[in-house]
Amino acid sequence: EAGVTQFPSHSVIEKGQTVTLRCDPISGHDNLYWYRRVMGKEIKFLLHFVKESKQDESGMPNNRFLAERTGGTYSTLKVQPAELEDSGVYFCASSQEGPSPLHFGNGTRLTVT
Amino acid sequence: GNSVTQMEGPVTLSEEAFLTINCTYTATGYPSLFWYVQYPGEGLQLLLKATKADDKGSNKGFEATYRKETTSFHLEKGSVQVSDSAVYFCALSDSGAGSYQLTFGKGTKLSVIP
């Protein structure tokens, strides 16, 4: 089966610009997660979708971040406007229904200059 | 809240050396414990897991035992190879929170030299 895919793999933008990250989960996986690793720090949970519904968005840092999962398939994470501290690697993960292991994508490395 | 503390890196070892990466955790309930690995240019992969006290997870020669009394889940391998060079992350999940949300440590970069 195809794994979790993320686009783009790298993105370099200027402060104040907008960036949209995309995640395609493994087909049939209802659960979709976004995580972020800021350089030198822990990988932090951002939010969790079950199908198209936001189950838990307690990790979203502020209202500059907007995540969507229309139709319960792929998900997008938009950062608008981007700030320097948003730089890091954004990981997406998916899993089957229930407490199943997470399958991670390769991540999107975002650099805000 | 939940937290995971793992030894700071980077760690550099010669091939066939013994590896230990320490990991301790703080959790309110009875978490499941994991080690994830990220090879260069790739995403996170589950290396091994343990879901209850005294369980031992193992895979690819790596082992870790869930020690509730010391709240630890140290990763070990008896003889490392160059191909084990990667970043290793200890993590826990408190599935009682209603989701499979993971709490990660900061990661330990391992370099194995021939």
mmCIF file of all heavy atoms in Angstrom, chain A residues 33-78:
data_model
loop_
_atom_site.group_PDB
_atom_site.id
_atom_site.type_symbol
_atom_site.label_atom_id
_atom_site.label_comp_id
_atom_site.label_asym_id
_atom_site.label_seq_id
_atom_site.Cartn_x
_atom_site.Cartn_y
_atom_site.Cartn_z
ATOM 1 N N TYR A 33 -3.405 12.956 11.655
ATOM 2 C CA TYR A 33 -2.773 13.796 12.667
ATOM 3 C C TYR A 33 -1.763 14.726 12.006
ATOM 4 O O TYR A 33 -1.097 14.349 11.049
ATOM 5 C CB TYR A 33 -2.012 12.949 13.699
ATOM 6 C CG TYR A 33 -2.846 11.932 14.429
ATOM 7 C CD1 TYR A 33 -3.151 10.707 13.853
ATOM 8 C CD2 TYR A 33 -3.322 12.191 15.712
ATOM 9 C CE1 TYR A 33 -3.903 9.758 14.532
ATOM 10 C CE2 TYR A 33 -4.072 11.254 16.397
ATOM 11 C CZ TYR A 33 -4.365 10.048 15.807
ATOM 12 O OH TYR A 33 -5.115 9.123 16.491
ATOM 13 N N TRP A 34 -1.633 15.914 12.572
ATOM 14 C CA TRP A 34 -0.540 16.812 12.225
ATOM 15 C C TRP A 34 0.339 17.009 13.463
ATOM 16 O O TRP A 34 -0.167 17.221 14.571
ATOM 17 C CB TRP A 34 -1.056 18.164 11.754
ATOM 18 C CG TRP A 34 -1.609 18.187 10.364
ATOM 19 C CD1 TRP A 34 -2.915 18.094 9.994
ATOM 20 C CD2 TRP A 34 -0.869 18.326 9.145
ATOM 21 N NE1 TRP A 34 -3.042 18.160 8.621
ATOM 22 C CE2 TRP A 34 -1.793 18.312 8.089
ATOM 23 C CE3 TRP A 34 0.495 18.466 8.852
ATOM 24 C CZ2 TRP A 34 -1.407 18.428 6.742
ATOM 25 C CZ3 TRP A 34 0.872 18.582 7.533
ATOM 26 C CH2 TRP A 34 -0.061 18.564 6.488
ATOM 27 N N TYR A 35 1.647 16.929 13.237
ATOM 28 C CA TYR A 35 2.644 17.178 14.263
ATOM 29 C C TYR A 35 3.670 18.166 13.710
ATOM 30 O O TYR A 35 3.807 18.315 12.495
ATOM 31 C CB TYR A 35 3.386 15.884 14.651
ATOM 32 C CG TYR A 35 2.606 14.924 15.499
ATOM 33 C CD1 TYR A 35 1.678 14.047 14.936
ATOM 34 C CD2 TYR A 35 2.800 14.883 16.883
ATOM 35 C CE1 TYR A 35 0.970 13.158 15.725
ATOM 36 C CE2 TYR A 35 2.099 13.991 17.677
ATOM 37 C CZ TYR A 35 1.184 13.135 17.089
ATOM 38 O OH TYR A 35 0.482 12.252 17.878
ATOM 39 N N ARG A 36 4.417 18.794 14.618
ATOM 40 C CA ARG A 36 5.437 19.734 14.187
ATOM 41 C C ARG A 36 6.672 19.578 15.066
ATOM 42 O O ARG A 36 6.558 19.411 16.284
ATOM 43 C CB ARG A 36 4.918 21.174 14.291
ATOM 44 C CG ARG A 36 5.965 22.220 13.999
ATOM 45 C CD ARG A 36 5.376 23.605 13.988
ATOM 46 N NE ARG A 36 5.109 24.112 15.330
ATOM 47 C CZ ARG A 36 4.802 25.391 15.572
ATOM 48 N NH1 ARG A 36 4.718 26.250 14.576
ATOM 49 N NH2 ARG A 36 4.567 25.791 16.807
ATOM 50 N N ARG A 37 7.856 19.663 14.426
ATOM 51 C CA ARG A 37 9.102 19.661 15.176
ATOM 52 C C ARG A 37 9.844 20.944 14.865
ATOM 53 O O ARG A 37 10.330 21.138 13.754
ATOM 54 C CB ARG A 37 9.982 18.460 14.842
ATOM 55 C CG ARG A 37 11.211 18.390 15.741
ATOM 56 C CD ARG A 37 12.154 17.295 15.350
ATOM 57 N NE ARG A 37 13.193 17.114 16.373
ATOM 58 C CZ ARG A 37 14.372 16.557 16.137
ATOM 59 N NH1 ARG A 37 14.666 16.115 14.926
ATOM 60 N NH2 ARG A 37 15.245 16.421 17.108
ATOM 61 N N VAL A 38 9.902 21.814 15.848
ATOM 62 C CA VAL A 38 10.729 23.007 15.742
ATOM 63 C C VAL A 38 12.152 22.592 16.079
ATOM 64 O O VAL A 38 12.362 21.735 16.934
ATOM 65 C CB VAL A 38 10.212 24.101 16.693
ATOM 66 C CG1 VAL A 38 11.151 25.282 16.730
ATOM 67 C CG2 VAL A 38 8.814 24.526 16.295
ATOM 68 N N MET A 39 13.125 23.194 15.404
ATOM 69 C CA MET A 39 14.522 22.748 15.520
ATOM 70 C C MET A 39 14.962 22.604 16.975
ATOM 71 O O MET A 39 14.815 23.530 17.770
ATOM 72 C CB MET A 39 15.449 23.711 14.802
ATOM 73 C CG MET A 39 16.898 23.234 14.814
ATOM 74 S SD MET A 39 18.012 24.215 13.821
ATOM 75 C CE MET A 39 17.286 24.083 12.227
ATOM 76 N N GLY A 40 15.514 21.413 17.269
ATOM 77 C CA GLY A 40 16.075 21.167 18.589
ATOM 78 C C GLY A 40 15.059 20.863 19.663
ATOM 79 O O GLY A 40 15.426 20.661 20.822
ATOM 80 N N LYS A 41 13.794 20.828 19.292
ATOM 81 C CA LYS A 41 12.766 20.592 20.310
ATOM 82 C C LYS A 41 11.984 19.320 19.990
ATOM 83 O O LYS A 41 12.255 18.617 19.030
ATOM 84 C CB LYS A 41 11.840 21.795 20.387
ATOM 85 C CG LYS A 41 12.581 23.078 20.768
ATOM 86 C CD LYS A 41 11.643 24.115 21.297
ATOM 87 C CE LYS A 41 12.439 25.298 21.835
ATOM 88 N NZ LYS A 41 11.575 26.354 22.388
ATOM 89 N N GLU A 42 11.027 19.038 20.874
ATOM 90 C CA GLU A 42 10.243 17.820 20.702
ATOM 91 C C GLU A 42 9.307 17.938 19.511
ATOM 92 O O GLU A 42 8.944 19.033 19.081
ATOM 93 C CB GLU A 42 9.370 17.544 21.942
ATOM 94 C CG GLU A 42 10.098 17.334 23.243
ATOM 95 C CD GLU A 42 10.355 18.624 23.987
ATOM 96 O OE1 GLU A 42 10.238 19.721 23.400
ATOM 97 O OE2 GLU A 42 10.690 18.525 25.189
ATOM 98 N N ILE A 43 8.909 16.790 19.016
ATOM 99 C CA ILE A 43 7.820 16.742 18.041
ATOM 100 C C ILE A 43 6.534 16.962 18.824
ATOM 101 O O ILE A 43 6.238 16.236 19.774
ATOM 102 C CB ILE A 43 7.782 15.381 17.332
ATOM 103 C CG1 ILE A 43 9.103 15.128 16.598
ATOM 104 C CG2 ILE A 43 6.602 15.318 16.357
ATOM 105 C CD1 ILE A 43 9.223 13.715 16.028
ATOM 106 N N LYS A 44 5.789 17.974 18.411
ATOM 107 C CA LYS A 44 4.589 18.356 19.163
ATOM 108 C C LYS A 44 3.335 18.078 18.355
ATOM 109 O O LYS A 44 3.273 18.365 17.155
ATOM 110 C CB LYS A 44 4.631 19.847 19.506
ATOM 111 C CG LYS A 44 5.715 20.223 20.491
ATOM 112 C CD LYS A 44 5.301 19.931 21.909
ATOM 113 C CE LYS A 44 6.185 20.661 22.888
ATOM 114 N NZ LYS A 44 5.832 20.348 24.286
ATOM 115 N N PHE A 45 2.336 17.577 19.026
ATOM 116 C CA PHE A 45 1.023 17.347 18.443
ATOM 117 C C PHE A 45 0.355 18.664 18.107
ATOM 118 O O PHE A 45 0.395 19.620 18.899
ATOM 119 C CB PHE A 45 0.179 16.570 19.448
ATOM 120 C CG PHE A 45 -1.284 16.512 19.147
ATOM 121 C CD1 PHE A 45 -1.773 15.598 18.230
ATOM 122 C CD2 PHE A 45 -2.178 17.364 19.777
ATOM 123 C CE1 PHE A 45 -3.130 15.525 17.958
ATOM 124 C CE2 PHE A 45 -3.529 17.304 19.506
ATOM 125 C CZ PHE A 45 -4.011 16.371 18.594
ATOM 126 N N LEU A 46 -0.258 18.736 16.930
ATOM 127 C CA LEU A 46 -1.028 19.916 16.539
ATOM 128 C C LEU A 46 -2.520 19.627 16.582
ATOM 129 O O LEU A 46 -3.267 20.305 17.278
ATOM 130 C CB LEU A 46 -0.625 20.388 15.141
ATOM 131 C CG LEU A 46 0.815 20.875 14.979
ATOM 132 C CD1 LEU A 46 1.075 21.286 13.531
ATOM 133 C CD2 LEU A 46 1.095 22.039 15.907
ATOM 134 N N LEU A 47 -2.954 18.642 15.777
ATOM 135 C CA LEU A 47 -4.369 18.309 15.808
ATOM 136 C C LEU A 47 -4.643 16.935 15.233
ATOM 137 O O LEU A 47 -3.779 16.321 14.624
ATOM 138 C CB LEU A 47 -5.219 19.367 15.076
ATOM 139 C CG LEU A 47 -5.432 19.222 13.570
ATOM 140 C CD1 LEU A 47 -6.656 20.022 13.167
ATOM 141 C CD2 LEU A 47 -4.219 19.654 12.806
ATOM 142 N N HIS A 48 -5.867 16.480 15.441
ATOM 143 C CA HIS A 48 -6.308 15.149 15.073
ATOM 144 C C HIS A 48 -7.667 15.229 14.397
ATOM 145 O O HIS A 48 -8.604 15.813 14.959
ATOM 146 C CB HIS A 48 -6.379 14.288 16.344
ATOM 147 C CG HIS A 48 -7.040 12.961 16.184
ATOM 148 N ND1 HIS A 48 -7.698 12.332 17.227
ATOM 149 C CD2 HIS A 48 -7.140 12.114 15.125
ATOM 150 C CE1 HIS A 48 -8.168 11.163 16.818
ATOM 151 N NE2 HIS A 48 -7.848 11.023 15.551
ATOM 152 N N PHE A 49 -7.752 14.663 13.204
ATOM 153 C CA PHE A 49 -9.024 14.507 12.501
ATOM 154 C C PHE A 49 -9.501 13.062 12.613
ATOM 155 O O PHE A 49 -8.708 12.130 12.510
ATOM 156 C CB PHE A 49 -8.867 14.796 11.005
ATOM 157 C CG PHE A 49 -8.752 16.238 10.625
ATOM 158 C CD1 PHE A 49 -7.519 16.808 10.382
ATOM 159 C CD2 PHE A 49 -9.887 17.022 10.475
ATOM 160 C CE1 PHE A 49 -7.407 18.135 10.000
ATOM 161 C CE2 PHE A 49 -9.788 18.347 10.100
ATOM 162 C CZ PHE A 49 -8.537 18.906 9.858
ATOM 163 N N VAL A 50 -10.810 12.891 12.771
ATOM 164 C CA VAL A 50 -11.441 11.609 12.516
ATOM 165 C C VAL A 50 -12.368 11.846 11.333
ATOM 166 O O VAL A 50 -13.342 12.602 11.436
ATOM 167 C CB VAL A 50 -12.237 11.093 13.720
ATOM 168 C CG1 VAL A 50 -12.944 9.786 13.359
ATOM 169 C CG2 VAL A 50 -11.334 10.894 14.923
ATOM 170 N N LYS A 51 -12.017 11.233 10.237
ATOM 171 C CA LYS A 51 -12.681 11.529 8.954
ATOM 172 C C LYS A 51 -12.570 13.034 8.723
ATOM 173 O O LYS A 51 -11.482 13.588 8.761
ATOM 174 C CB LYS A 51 -14.102 10.994 8.953
ATOM 175 C CG LYS A 51 -14.154 9.476 9.082
ATOM 176 C CD LYS A 51 -15.575 8.939 9.005
ATOM 177 C CE LYS A 51 -15.549 7.413 9.133
ATOM 178 N NZ LYS A 51 -16.908 6.825 9.115
ATOM 179 N N GLU A 52 -13.688 13.734 8.516
ATOM 180 C CA GLU A 52 -13.577 15.165 8.225
ATOM 181 C C GLU A 52 -13.702 16.047 9.463
ATOM 182 O O GLU A 52 -13.587 17.266 9.383
ATOM 183 C CB GLU A 52 -14.629 15.574 7.190
ATOM 184 C CG GLU A 52 -16.062 15.489 7.667
ATOM 185 C CD GLU A 52 -16.657 14.099 7.521
ATOM 186 O OE1 GLU A 52 -15.902 13.140 7.218
ATOM 187 O OE2 GLU A 52 -17.881 13.964 7.722
ATOM 188 N N SER A 53 -13.922 15.433 10.630
ATOM 189 C CA SER A 53 -14.165 16.205 11.844
ATOM 190 C C SER A 53 -12.891 16.377 12.672
ATOM 191 O O SER A 53 -12.099 15.448 12.825
ATOM 192 C CB SER A 53 -15.207 15.490 12.706
ATOM 193 O OG SER A 53 -16.422 15.362 12.016
ATOM 194 N N LYS A 54 -12.728 17.556 13.229
ATOM 195 C CA LYS A 54 -11.606 17.817 14.132
ATOM 196 C C LYS A 54 -11.917 17.210 15.494
ATOM 197 O O LYS A 54 -12.835 17.664 16.184
ATOM 198 C CB LYS A 54 -11.361 19.323 14.258
ATOM 199 C CG LYS A 54 -10.835 19.946 12.987
ATOM 200 C CD LYS A 54 -10.663 21.447 13.129
ATOM 201 C CE LYS A 54 -10.230 22.046 11.792
ATOM 202 N NZ LYS A 54 -10.178 23.529 11.830
ATOM 203 N N GLN A 55 -11.168 16.182 15.856
ATOM 204 C CA GLN A 55 -11.383 15.510 17.129
ATOM 205 C C GLN A 55 -10.698 16.247 18.270
ATOM 206 O O GLN A 55 -11.207 16.308 19.394
ATOM 207 C CB GLN A 55 -10.845 14.079 17.034
ATOM 208 C CG GLN A 55 -11.022 13.235 18.275
ATOM 209 C CD GLN A 55 -12.434 12.697 18.398
ATOM 210 O OE1 GLN A 55 -13.245 12.826 17.479
ATOM 211 N NE2 GLN A 55 -12.751 12.107 19.519
ATOM 212 N N ASP A 56 -9.528 16.782 17.973
ATOM 213 C CA ASP A 56 -8.714 17.439 19.001
ATOM 214 C C ASP A 56 -7.786 18.418 18.301
ATOM 215 O O ASP A 56 -6.976 18.008 17.486
ATOM 216 C CB ASP A 56 -7.910 16.379 19.771
ATOM 217 C CG ASP A 56 -7.058 16.960 20.884
ATOM 218 O OD1 ASP A 56 -6.964 18.194 21.017
ATOM 219 O OD2 ASP A 56 -6.471 16.156 21.636
ATOM 220 N N GLU A 57 -7.945 19.689 18.575
ATOM 221 C CA GLU A 57 -7.044 20.692 17.985
ATOM 222 C C GLU A 57 -6.352 21.490 19.074
ATOM 223 O O GLU A 57 -5.976 22.651 18.882
ATOM 224 C CB GLU A 57 -7.787 21.605 17.020
ATOM 225 C CG GLU A 57 -9.030 22.255 17.561
ATOM 226 C CD GLU A 57 -9.764 23.086 16.505
ATOM 227 O OE1 GLU A 57 -9.120 23.599 15.575
ATOM 228 O OE2 GLU A 57 -10.991 23.219 16.642
ATOM 229 N N SER A 58 -6.133 20.846 20.214
ATOM 230 C CA SER A 58 -5.556 21.521 21.360
ATOM 231 C C SER A 58 -4.103 21.939 21.151
ATOM 232 O O SER A 58 -3.597 22.789 21.870
ATOM 233 C CB SER A 58 -5.646 20.613 22.592
ATOM 234 O OG SER A 58 -4.937 19.407 22.382
ATOM 235 N N GLY A 59 -3.432 21.349 20.171
ATOM 236 C CA GLY A 59 -2.037 21.677 19.936
ATOM 237 C C GLY A 59 -1.800 22.784 18.925
ATOM 238 O O GLY A 59 -0.652 23.202 18.728
ATOM 239 N N MET A 60 -2.842 23.284 18.307
ATOM 240 C CA MET A 60 -2.659 24.348 17.317
ATOM 241 C C MET A 60 -2.163 25.598 18.037
ATOM 242 O O MET A 60 -2.786 26.064 19.002
ATOM 243 C CB MET A 60 -3.978 24.621 16.597
ATOM 244 C CG MET A 60 -4.429 23.448 15.754
ATOM 245 S SD MET A 60 -3.434 23.243 14.287
ATOM 246 C CE MET A 60 -4.434 24.154 13.115
ATOM 247 N N PRO A 61 -1.048 26.172 17.563
ATOM 248 C CA PRO A 61 -0.409 27.244 18.330
ATOM 249 C C PRO A 61 -1.197 28.549 18.379
ATOM 250 O O PRO A 61 -1.158 29.244 19.396
ATOM 251 C CB PRO A 61 0.944 27.430 17.623
ATOM 252 C CG PRO A 61 0.786 26.810 16.280
ATOM 253 C CD PRO A 61 -0.246 25.767 16.392
ATOM 254 N N ASN A 62 -1.873 28.897 17.299
ATOM 255 C CA ASN A 62 -2.627 30.153 17.281
ATOM 256 C C ASN A 62 -3.523 30.178 16.043
ATOM 257 O O ASN A 62 -3.531 29.226 15.253
ATOM 258 C CB ASN A 62 -1.660 31.345 17.265
ATOM 259 C CG ASN A 62 -0.626 31.235 16.169
ATOM 260 O OD1 ASN A 62 -0.967 31.191 14.997
ATOM 261 N ND2 ASN A 62 0.645 31.157 16.554
ATOM 262 N N ASN A 63 -4.261 31.250 15.880
ATOM 263 C CA ASN A 63 -5.238 31.296 14.791
ATOM 264 C C ASN A 63 -4.621 31.600 13.435
ATOM 265 O O ASN A 63 -5.335 31.766 12.442
ATOM 266 C CB ASN A 63 -6.359 32.288 15.102
ATOM 267 C CG ASN A 63 -5.826 33.690 15.308
ATOM 268 O OD1 ASN A 63 -4.653 33.976 15.041
ATOM 269 N ND2 ASN A 63 -6.676 34.586 15.789
ATOM 270 N N ARG A 64 -3.301 31.652 13.346
ATOM 271 C CA ARG A 64 -2.672 31.753 12.028
ATOM 272 C C ARG A 64 -2.619 30.389 11.343
ATOM 273 O O ARG A 64 -2.291 30.305 10.157
ATOM 274 C CB ARG A 64 -1.255 32.321 12.165
ATOM 275 C CG ARG A 64 -1.219 33.757 12.680
ATOM 276 C CD ARG A 64 0.190 34.328 12.673
ATOM 277 N NE ARG A 64 1.069 33.655 13.615
ATOM 278 C CZ ARG A 64 1.986 32.773 13.281
ATOM 279 N NH1 ARG A 64 2.149 32.440 12.014
ATOM 280 N NH2 ARG A 64 2.748 32.207 14.205
ATOM 281 N N PHE A 65 -2.935 29.351 12.068
ATOM 282 C CA PHE A 65 -2.897 27.991 11.534
ATOM 283 C C PHE A 65 -4.329 27.510 11.302
ATOM 284 O O PHE A 65 -5.165 27.582 12.196
ATOM 285 C CB PHE A 65 -2.187 27.045 12.506
ATOM 286 C CG PHE A 65 -0.710 27.258 12.600
ATOM 287 C CD1 PHE A 65 -0.183 28.347 13.284
ATOM 288 C CD2 PHE A 65 0.161 26.376 11.985
ATOM 289 C CE1 PHE A 65 1.184 28.550 13.357
ATOM 290 C CE2 PHE A 65 1.527 26.565 12.059
ATOM 291 C CZ PHE A 65 2.044 27.661 12.747
ATOM 292 N N LEU A 66 -4.578 26.998 10.096
ATOM 293 C CA LEU A 66 -5.904 26.478 9.770
ATOM 294 C C LEU A 66 -5.754 25.130 9.089
ATOM 295 O O LEU A 66 -5.097 25.025 8.056
ATOM 296 C CB LEU A 66 -6.652 27.440 8.837
ATOM 297 C CG LEU A 66 -8.011 26.943 8.336
ATOM 298 C CD1 LEU A 66 -8.978 26.759 9.504
ATOM 299 C CD2 LEU A 66 -8.583 27.896 7.298
ATOM 300 N N ALA A 67 -6.368 24.116 9.677
ATOM 301 C CA ALA A 67 -6.314 22.778 9.097
ATOM 302 C C ALA A 67 -7.698 22.382 8.609
ATOM 303 O O ALA A 67 -8.699 22.676 9.253
ATOM 304 C CB ALA A 67 -5.813 21.762 10.120
ATOM 305 N N GLU A 68 -7.711 21.709 7.465
ATOM 306 C CA GLU A 68 -8.971 21.230 6.904
ATOM 307 C C GLU A 68 -8.794 19.821 6.381
ATOM 308 O O GLU A 68 -7.688 19.425 6.000
ATOM 309 C CB GLU A 68 -9.437 22.155 5.771
ATOM 310 C CG GLU A 68 -9.791 23.553 6.236
ATOM 311 C CD GLU A 68 -10.261 24.449 5.103
ATOM 312 O OE1 GLU A 68 -9.718 24.325 3.993
ATOM 313 O OE2 GLU A 68 -11.174 25.263 5.336
ATOM 314 N N ARG A 69 -9.896 19.120 6.327
ATOM 315 C CA ARG A 69 -9.893 17.770 5.757
ATOM 316 C C ARG A 69 -11.259 17.545 5.094
ATOM 317 O O ARG A 69 -12.101 16.812 5.583
ATOM 318 C CB ARG A 69 -9.616 16.706 6.807
ATOM 319 C CG ARG A 69 -9.316 15.340 6.181
ATOM 320 C CD ARG A 69 -9.106 14.267 7.224
ATOM 321 N NE ARG A 69 -8.767 12.995 6.594
ATOM 322 C CZ ARG A 69 -8.789 11.817 7.201
ATOM 323 N NH1 ARG A 69 -9.135 11.736 8.478
ATOM 324 N NH2 ARG A 69 -8.473 10.720 6.542
ATOM 325 N N THR A 70 -11.417 18.205 3.986
ATOM 326 C CA THR A 70 -12.678 18.130 3.260
ATOM 327 C C THR A 70 -12.918 16.723 2.727
ATOM 328 O O THR A 70 -12.040 16.133 2.086
ATOM 329 C CB THR A 70 -12.672 19.129 2.086
ATOM 330 O OG1 THR A 70 -12.358 20.426 2.608
ATOM 331 C CG2 THR A 70 -14.029 19.162 1.409
ATOM 332 N N GLY A 71 -14.096 16.183 2.976
ATOM 333 C CA GLY A 71 -14.427 14.858 2.467
ATOM 334 C C GLY A 71 -13.740 13.720 3.177
ATOM 335 O O GLY A 71 -13.883 12.560 2.790
ATOM 336 N N GLY A 72 -12.991 14.046 4.199
ATOM 337 C CA GLY A 72 -12.346 13.003 4.985
ATOM 338 C C GLY A 72 -11.227 12.284 4.280
ATOM 339 O O GLY A 72 -10.847 11.177 4.691
ATOM 340 N N THR A 73 -10.666 12.896 3.235
ATOM 341 C CA THR A 73 -9.545 12.249 2.538
ATOM 342 C C THR A 73 -8.260 12.982 2.880
ATOM 343 O O THR A 73 -7.755 12.860 3.998
ATOM 344 C CB THR A 73 -9.783 12.216 1.027
ATOM 345 O OG1 THR A 73 -10.060 13.558 0.573
ATOM 346 C CG2 THR A 73 -10.967 11.315 0.691
ATOM 347 N N TYR A 74 -7.760 13.809 1.923
ATOM 348 C CA TYR A 74 -6.513 14.503 2.206
ATOM 349 C C TYR A 74 -6.770 15.682 3.137
ATOM 350 O O TYR A 74 -7.918 16.118 3.316
ATOM 351 C CB TYR A 74 -5.862 14.967 0.899
ATOM 352 C CG TYR A 74 -6.591 16.091 0.196
ATOM 353 C CD1 TYR A 74 -6.276 17.422 0.471
ATOM 354 C CD2 TYR A 74 -7.584 15.825 -0.734
ATOM 355 C CE1 TYR A 74 -6.936 18.456 -0.161
ATOM 356 C CE2 TYR A 74 -8.252 16.850 -1.369
ATOM 357 C CZ TYR A 74 -7.922 18.163 -1.084
ATOM 358 O OH TYR A 74 -8.591 19.176 -1.704
ATOM 359 N N SER A 75 -5.698 16.187 3.709
ATOM 360 C CA SER A 75 -5.797 17.327 4.618
ATOM 361 C C SER A 75 -4.813 18.415 4.193
ATOM 362 O O SER A 75 -3.772 18.126 3.590
ATOM 363 C CB SER A 75 -5.464 16.892 6.046
ATOM 364 O OG SER A 75 -5.441 17.998 6.929
ATOM 365 N N THR A 76 -5.173 19.649 4.490
ATOM 366 C CA THR A 76 -4.270 20.772 4.270
ATOM 367 C C THR A 76 -4.062 21.511 5.582
ATOM 368 O O THR A 76 -4.957 21.551 6.440
ATOM 369 C CB THR A 76 -4.807 21.747 3.214
ATOM 370 O OG1 THR A 76 -6.090 22.225 3.636
ATOM 371 C CG2 THR A 76 -4.912 21.086 1.854
ATOM 372 N N LEU A 77 -2.889 22.079 5.718
ATOM 373 C CA LEU A 77 -2.554 22.921 6.861
ATOM 374 C C LEU A 77 -2.015 24.231 6.305
ATOM 375 O O LEU A 77 -0.984 24.259 5.640
ATOM 376 C CB LEU A 77 -1.506 22.243 7.745
ATOM 377 C CG LEU A 77 -1.038 23.023 8.974
ATOM 378 C CD1 LEU A 77 -2.184 23.208 9.960
ATOM 379 C CD2 LEU A 77 0.119 22.284 9.677
ATOM 380 N N LYS A 78 -2.759 25.292 6.551
ATOM 381 C CA LYS A 78 -2.396 26.603 6.024
ATOM 382 C C LYS A 78 -1.851 27.462 7.148
ATOM 383 O O LYS A 78 -2.415 27.498 8.256
ATOM 384 C CB LYS A 78 -3.609 27.286 5.391
ATOM 385 C CG LYS A 78 -3.297 28.662 4.820
ATOM 386 C CD LYS A 78 -4.544 29.420 4.427
ATOM 387 C CE LYS A 78 -5.189 28.870 3.200
ATOM 388 N NZ LYS A 78 -6.309 29.738 2.733
#
